[in-house]
Amino acid sequence: GESVGLHLPTLSVQEGDNSIINCAYSNSASDYFIWYKQESGKGPQFIIDIRSNMDKRQGQRVTVLLNKTVKHLSLQIAATQPGDSAVYFCAENIGGAQKLVFGQGTRLTINP
Amino acid sequence: AAGVIQSPRHLIKEKRETATLKCYPIPRHDTVYWYQQGPGQDPQFLISFYEKMQSDKGSIPDRFSAQQFSDYHSELNMSSLELGDSALYFCASSYRAGVSYEQYFGPGTRLTVT
């Protein structure tokens, strides 16, 4: 399953399928990006990050892709599990560790 | 591993009252950030401190103030509370001199203003 931009806040996928969550960022000067996972009532949890000098970075079951030309970021989750159910936020950082600007979250729900 | 600690976890106040939220960063972290998250919203940056000095300021109302103390913990003081201040308040910390800008978030304080 795949979300489209920031206008589809909910993504439903079948357990075991791959999930793709998309994010468009606004500032071409942003040099660092993070994906966070937020479960209900909890703080955002770091998933994976990527610097602007990279196009792709892989973690455990997750991959982040960065397309600076169109200012687009995506998070791919392989073999989605029930524990992946959460709201996923992308965040951008501009020129240093001062603050993060969060994008609109996408709620990922897993169908058994 | 030690995480960011926030207290209290839940707080109920009435309009026009004051509230103080506390944040204890991860040991050795020198930077603290405060975010506000309304229902169904993304976290919004309020203010940050590096080495006890304010380093950046976001959409923080004038009724709010914050500081970072010598032990690096931080407090967010909120006065003349309004109904619209009801939200989750997150503190995050990072080690600014490190190679990563990763911010670690605390569990949040849920503030309800009635």
Side-chain angles (χ1 to χ4, degrees):
Chain A
E2 182 171 349
S3 70
V4 179
L6 300 176
H7 304 291
L8 188 67
T10 302
L11 174 64
S12 295
V13 299
Q14 291 295 124
E15 183 178 349
D17 285 354
N18 296 334
S19 302
I20 300 175
I21 301 172
N22 296 300
C23 178
Y25 63 94
S26 57
N27 197 320
S28 56
S30 295
D31 57 3
Y32 178 66
F33 305 87
I34 309 177
W35 279 100
Y36 282 96
K37 172 186 179 183
Q38 187 176 25
E39 296 174 282
S40 181
K42 296 184 179 180
Q45 177 187 358
F46 173 89
I47 301 174
I48 192 168
D49 60 358
I50 188 169
R51 291 187 180 276
S52 59
N53 61 354
M54 301 172 68
D55 297 322
K56 179 180 180 179
R57 190 163 188 224
Q58 288 185 292
Q60 186 178 15
R61 281 202 308 119
V62 294
T63 300
V64 56
L65 299 178
L66 175 62
N67 186 329
K68 295 180 287 294
T69 302
V70 295
K71 292 189 287 187
H72 182 268
L73 196 67
S74 70
L75 175 70
Q76 301 177 4
I77 304 174
T80 312
Q81 303 170 358
D84 295 328
S85 293
V87 176
Y88 290 81
F89 291 99
C90 67
E92 59 185 301
N93 179 286
I94 305 170
Q98 295 303 316
K99 66 181 181 184
L100 294 175
V101 176
F102 282 80
Q104 183 182 13
T106 296
R107 179 175 299 280
L108 177 64
T109 59
I110 314 303
N111 301 318
Chain B
V4 176
I5 297 172
Q6 291 187 246
S7 68
R9 294 294 311 278
H10 301 274
L11 190 59
I12 300 175
K13 291 286 186 177
E14 295 186 354
K15 283 193 303 183
R16 293 180 288 278
E17 285 191 321
T18 61
T20 297
L21 278 54
K22 297 185 179 183
C23 169
Y24 298 86
I26 292 171
R28 293 180 58 235
H29 280 193
D30 52 19
T31 307
V32 169
Y33 314 78
W34 286 97
Y35 293 84
Q36 177 192 58
Q37 185 177 31
Q41 304 295 315
D42 56 281
Q44 294 288 321
F45 172 75
L46 293 178
I47 196 167
S48 63
F49 292 87
Y50 167 63
E51 285 292 344
K52 292 152 281 184
M53 298 290 289
Q54 180 182 310
S55 56
D56 202 355
K57 195 172 182 180
S59 51
I60 183 169
D62 292 341
R63 299 177 289 107
F64 293 6
S65 65
Q67 58 183 323
Q68 185 180 31
F69 295 86
S70 57
D71 63 352
Y72 295 98
H73 94 272
S74 178
E75 294 183 2
L76 177 66
N77 300 293
M78 311 160 72
S79 63
S80 302
L81 287 169
E82 301 174 356
L83 295 178
D85 296 329
S86 296
L88 269 170
Y89 290 84
F90 290 106
C91 172
S93 73
S94 71
Y95 179 51
R96 182 168 174 173
V99 296
S100 170
Y101 297 149
E102 182 180 341
Q103 295 182 21
Y104 295 82
F105 281 77
T109 294
R110 182 175 295 279
L111 172 66
T112 302
V113 182
T114 61

